[in-house]
Structure formats: structure tokens, C-alpha cells
Amino acid sequence: MAILEVSDLKQYFYLQPTFLGKLVGGAKPRIIKAVDGVSFTMQHGEILGVAGESGCGKSTACLAIAKLREPTGGDILYKERNIAEMSKSETRNYRREVQLIFQDPYESLNPRYTVFDSVAEPLRALTDKSKAEIRERTNETIALAGLTPEEYKNRYPHQMSGGERQRVGIAQALVLEPKLVIADEPLSMLDVSIRAGILDLIRDLSKRMNFSCIYISHDLSILSNISERLMIMYLGRIMELGVTRDVITDAHHPYARALIAAVPIPDPAYKRPIPKIRGEVAQPIDPPPGCRFQTRCLQVMDICRDTEPPLKEVKPGHAVACHLY
Amino acid sequence: MILEIENLKTYYKIEKGVVKANDGISLSIKENEVVGLAGESGCGKSTLIRTIIRLVPQSAQVTADKMNFMDQDILAMPEKDFREKILWQGIALVPQSAMNALNPVYRVGDQCTEAISAHTDYDKAECEQIVKRLFDTVGLQAGMMKAYPHEFSGGMRQRAMIAMSLLLSPALVIMDEPTTGLDVLVQERILRSIKEIRQKSESAVSILLITHDISVIAEMSDRIGIMYAGRLMESAESMELFNEPYHPYTLGLKNAFPSIKALDRELISIPGSPPNLIEDIPGCLFAFRCPFVIPECEKTRPPDLEIKPGHMVHCIRTDDVEEFRKLAGDKKTWQSSRSAT
């Protein structure tokens, strides 16, 4: 049974025209299609990497999955239950089982809470455990995140380094033993030498606690290391989805290929190819019919300009949205 | 030599003591060379840049055995001379927050021509000609000169800043994290612009590239310096640094970095965090995180050893490097360091 099934998820935002525009031309609101028809499924215990440039809708999609914003269209099934139809108590349970790890450990912790309070807060808010149980569970989780509870539990965020803070952020997300964790660029604020430690922690805990993880990042090097499957998005749509190794070594979509070609390699002997792409990221405002990527694609064909390519399998478990295949 | 720095020390005096932000850095940049400096936050990269272009606060104590830019002592030079003769014309800076460095109410082209006319006596047409040529070098259309900064995307603004730094054909351009926070495809375009500068420019340009991203450094630099806690731990030609690293910190960094070309390699982090630069630590500053530490490491400051011509290592245990290279690939080695336990 899949833990999460997202089908045809849409999240639109409306840009109201200016007063003058309404007055003179009767302008209509313009539509930003931040997420436009995203479908995928996730299995239990799987780590799914989501890559894409800024504005591709990766974070917006996850906000809808976390039930923090109501989507414009589409269904999100969590354990075969539509999250839009959940009752209050089901929603409460959903909030326990789906947790977020945030990007910036410098801003996502309450500066007036000690580590213990920060980690214990979800337990206090969403469970009816006794004080002793809360204390035990909190200390356990702090230790699980790689911090010694005796040393850290009474510290405040300003007394810790970025890496330590991010570990607290992880403990906070895991204290309720979630089934699905959404990590939005959890490493981007951290130094290189400690990133590997946090990556290991997430991977290790996902196996031990058996939670699924959606890992969002624009850094393909990191995603290639942590994720089992990789999804590449462009302007609100999935361009390519498959096992990480297949997508990295055998990318099909021209966008995925360009993105992978642009990743610098830590090896001075490596001569990186020039990515085959033109122009810059467009805005997802009133997108033209056809493929989202047509304006930047060097292999664009006539069909791309009027028909949106569906996401279809090129081989088992590896899907591409492109008319070339 | 374009830039020669020997034993540079920049200390900030604060209430609690003295912060040794740069503590004995020696660095030289040759003509037409790209030198990359890599290091974690707080390692003193930005202080080094600020010291070179004299942006450190008055209260900072700067001393150096030598600090020459094209054989002129830029440390002893009066402030006014430095600003009029060296800045922009000799050394230009592409600041870290280049995205926000443009004036939002001026057209980008005007901001560029203004910088030229302030320093030279070219007429308007000549200025525009220079700006146009440089816009072309960094891949911006000449028409964009008439645009305002808000009409530029982040990557285009960064490229405009790079074009701006080149206006007066400086011999040295310092780039502080030029691609941090940008998307990979945008980053790629900027790196390509930087390479094109070197090919297309009429006069030789040296670049001091500062970033925490080892991959970017590896791709761009001829020579690489690894900074840690205000000191240079190792510096060498790029190939040599990657193929024959000596310093345990360099060995650790190499294993900590993911690569899409090595999908199966296990990443190993370096436990612990950099020391507080206020403390007086007599020995090696990396000792606390180093798995190969011996008692001598903590007694005196290691010398800057020249292992081979052009390859400097700040470590006393260079004789055992073969063993270190073997052990550094094993996760257990790093978990044995004191900072891990």
C-alpha cells in the first residue's frame, strides 16, 4: 500500500490587475500556475528527492501535502484517505503523522525555548502523554538526533551551532514518530563539513523509524546521495521521475539533462559539458499551451507548442514528460 | 606577481577579547591566475577580502610582513591613494550580496557609465562602448543597459555586477561567493561568463574566487587554498590539491562533498565545529577535530611547510600522509576524533 498518492495536484494563485488596468481595459486576473497537475505515489519508508529551480513549485506542492494550504484542484490520498475529506480528529492525527523539517535552523526554532521545550512542544500540543512520558520520549529523541540530552536539553538556540540547531529541528519533527517527513532544503544553511552528518542522520532514522521522506532541494549532488527516487520539476509540472541512479546517469528529458550537466563536480580534471538549454526560467504566469519547457528547449517540435506532453514511462519505474519519447 | 601577502593578521578587538579573524595568512596571486579560497563560515574568508580592499573597521588591527599589489605596498599606502589609484582600477570586488548591490532607481547602464566617468575622462560614447562590450562578455544583451535592476533576474544582476567590476580593466577581481544562492543553471551561466572574461578580455585578469562550494572552486581555479579558523591550512595547484592532499582537513572535506559522478561513495562528515577565534590556542586550530592528532600538535603552531614548490601545508605530520589518506576514507577514523565523542 502506498503511503501517499498525489493525483493531478493543482495550486493556482491569482494576480489581481491594477486599478488602472481594470478601468481602461477591463483586464482579468492573471493566473500563476505554481503547481499544475502533479501526480506521484510514495511507498512506505521511501526517500523521494524533489529537484528543480526556484519557482518550480516544489515547496508549494509540499505545503499542500502537509495540509497547510488548500490546493486548487487534485487529490492527496494519505493511506488511501483523501486529506481534504478528513474530519477534525483525523486531521489532528494527520498532523501528528506528517512532519516538516525546515530550511533555516536559525529562524525555525523559538529563541526563548530550550532544546528540551522545543522538542517536547509537539508532544504537549498533540498528545495526551503524562509529564514523565513526555520527558522520557523527548530525551530519547534528542539522543536519536545525535545530541546528548544531559548536555543539550537546557541550551537555547543561540548557544548552539547551525548543525546542532538543525539536529534539534530534526528531533522536533521526529518526536511524534511521524510516518511522512517533508524536508525542505534542510542543508542549505549548513557548512559542507557537517552536511554529510545530517544527511546520514535523516537516512539512518528513516530506516530505523520507518518513515517516508520527501526531500526537497535544488542541489542535485545532495539529492543523488540521499534519495532513492528522484523527481525533477519545471514550472509546476513533473518533467522526469525515476530511480535516482537512472535519472542521474540516463536522463531523458532535455531539461533534466541540462540540469544535470550544469552541476559542478568536485574534481578539477572534469570538463563539464555546456548544458543544452537557452534563456532563463520563465514565470508560471498564464503559461502558453503545450509543454512548459518549450521556450527553453533546443529540441522543440511543433507538437510541443500545442499539446502538453503527459508523464509516461519510458521503462518500468522511469517516467518522462516529453514528446521526444 | 599581482598580489603578494605574507603573514597577514587581522585582529578585531571586542569586549571579550581579541578575535583573530585572519591569523598569519600568506597568499600570492600570479598574473592571469584564478585562485580559489574555500572554507566554512567563520573561517575568515570575508575578513581577508575586506582587509585587502580596506573595508575592515578602523578598530581592526592589520599587520603583515608584506602586502603588495603589483609591487606597491597597499598596507602602508595612504587611504586616499588606495581609493583613487588601486580600487576599481587595480582591484575590483564583486560583493557577496551582488543581488542587492545595484541602485534600484538608476538604469543599470547608467550605473556602469557613472563608475567609469568618475575615474577616467572618457566621454559618454566611449563609456557606453565599454559597458556594451562588457555586457556582451558576460552574456547580457546591450538593450539591457536601459533596463532597471528590477527587470533583471537574480542571475542577470549577478552578471551585471561582474561586468561592472571589469569596467576599469582591473588586474585583480575579487569575487565573494558569486554563485551562492543561485540555481544550478544560473550558476553555470555565471561560471561560464567568468571563464569568458579570461578569454575575451584585452588585458590579463587575475581572479580571487571565494566560496564554500568545493565543486565550483575545483571547476574554476588554477590554484586552491583551504582556509580554516583564520589560517590557510593547505594551498596548491588544483590538480595537486585534489590528487595529493596532505592536510587532514582537506582530506576530510574531500570525503564530505557529494558528487553526482560518485553515486555510491559514502559521505563522511567532520565531527565538531570550528574553534572560537577569541580563545588563545597555542597549537594547531584543527587539532580538536583532527583524528590524527598527537600531543605535539597542540603545543606549538604548525609551520607553513612547503612540501613541494607551490604546495604549502600547515601541519606537522606530513610524513605520515600516506597512512592518513588511507584512513580518511573510513568513517570510523573521523568518529574517533575528540570532537565526535
Side-chain angles (χ1 to χ4, degrees), chain B residues 105-335:
Chain B
V105 295
Y106 276 97
R107 292 177 201 275
V108 176
D110 291 346
Q111 295 185 45
C112 295
T113 46
E114 190 187 335
I116 310 177
S117 51
H119 284 90
T120 63
D121 40 20
Y122 291 139
D123 63 32
K124 205 175 165 219
E126 282 169 316
C127 291
E128 272 176 12
Q129 210 51 46
I130 297 174
V131 178
K132 214 170 141 190
R133 183 171 52 80
L134 287 171
F135 263 46
D136 184 54
T137 310
V138 296
L140 292 172
Q141 287 164 350
M144 293 305 284
M145 283 167 64
K146 290 247 175 344
Y148 288 93
H150 75 266
E151 295 171 79
F152 282 56
S153 67
M156 287 158 78
R157 268 183 250 176
Q158 183 65 284
R159 279 185 270 155
M161 286 307 297
I162 293 173
M164 221 165 152
S165 71
L166 297 167
L167 289 171
L168 300 173
S169 332
L172 175 66
V173 179
I174 300 175
M175 298 187 181
D176 189 3
E177 304 267 11
T179 59
T180 304
L182 297 172
D183 284 314
V184 268
L185 282 162
V186 181
Q187 163 170 292
E188 193 277 338
R189 188 65 195 83
I190 288 167
L191 297 183
R192 198 142 37 99
S193 301
I194 298 174
K195 288 177 195 159
E196 278 162 14
I197 291 165
R198 299 180 72 201
Q199 289 156 8
K200 288 189 190 169
S201 183
E202 286 151 16
S203 49
V205 192
S206 305
I207 295 172
L208 178 60
L209 178 69
I210 298 201
T211 167
H212 66 277
D213 191 331
I214 309 267
S215 318
V216 170
I217 292 255
E219 179 170 329
M220 302 299 294
S221 322
D222 301 317
R223 225 145 40 80
I224 297 176
I226 305 286
M227 281 185 78
Y228 184 79
R231 295 179 187 173
L232 205 56
M233 293 284 143
E234 182 162 6
S235 68
E237 300 271 324
S238 308
M239 290 290 187
E240 189 163 320
L241 191 93
F242 271 82
N243 296 334
E244 292 172 53
Y246 274 82
H247 200 284
Y249 182 57
T250 318
L251 291 169
L253 276 186
K254 258 191 84 181
N255 290 319
F257 224 86
S259 162
I260 59 164
K261 292 288 167 200
L263 292 175
D264 296 317
R265 209 188 64 215
E266 185 188 29
L267 296 185
I268 307 171
S269 69
I270 306 174
S273 47
N276 187 340
L277 298 178
I278 284 187
E279 285 167 35
D280 262 316
I281 301 169
C284 173
L285 294 181
F286 186 61
F288 187 63
R289 295 172 84 187
C290 184
F292 311 120
V293 64
I294 51 171
E296 280 81 83
C297 291
E298 294 181 270
K299 283 184 190 138
T300 50
R301 179 187 169 133
D304 287 353
L305 282 178
E306 195 159 15
I307 297 288
K308 274 181 227 170
H311 192 158
M312 186 285 291
V313 184
H314 186 78
C315 180
I316 53 170
R317 298 198 64 194
T318 49
D319 291 340
D320 301 320
V321 71
E322 289 299 331
E323 189 196 338
F324 293 173
R325 284 181 196 152
K326 250 179 256 157
L327 290 171
D330 187 352
K331 205 173 211 170
K332 290 192 198 85
T333 307
W334 294 93
Q335 279 158 356

Side-chain angles (χ1 to χ4, degrees), chain A residues 51 65 103 118 252 255 262 275 310:
Chain A
I65 292 168
Q103 176 168 13
S118 284
H252 281 60
Y255 178 65

Side-chain angles (χ1 to χ4, degrees), chain A residues 54 191 200 245 272 280, chain B residues 41 153 159 183 219 264 331:
Chain A
S54 349
D191 273 316
D200 274 351
R245 173 177 298 276
R272 201 167 43 72
E280 303 218 1
Chain B
S41 27
S153 67
R159 279 185 270 155
D183 284 314
E219 179 170 329
D264 296 317
K331 205 173 211 170

Side-chain angles (χ1 to χ4, degrees), chain A residues 233-253:
Chain A
M233 288 183 69
Y234 185 74
L235 293 187
R237 290 189 68 90
I238 299 175
M239 297 286 121
E240 189 149 352
L241 174 63
V243 176
T244 303
R245 173 177 298 276
D246 292 346
V247 175
I248 297 280
T249 57
D250 183 27
H252 281 60
H253 198 286

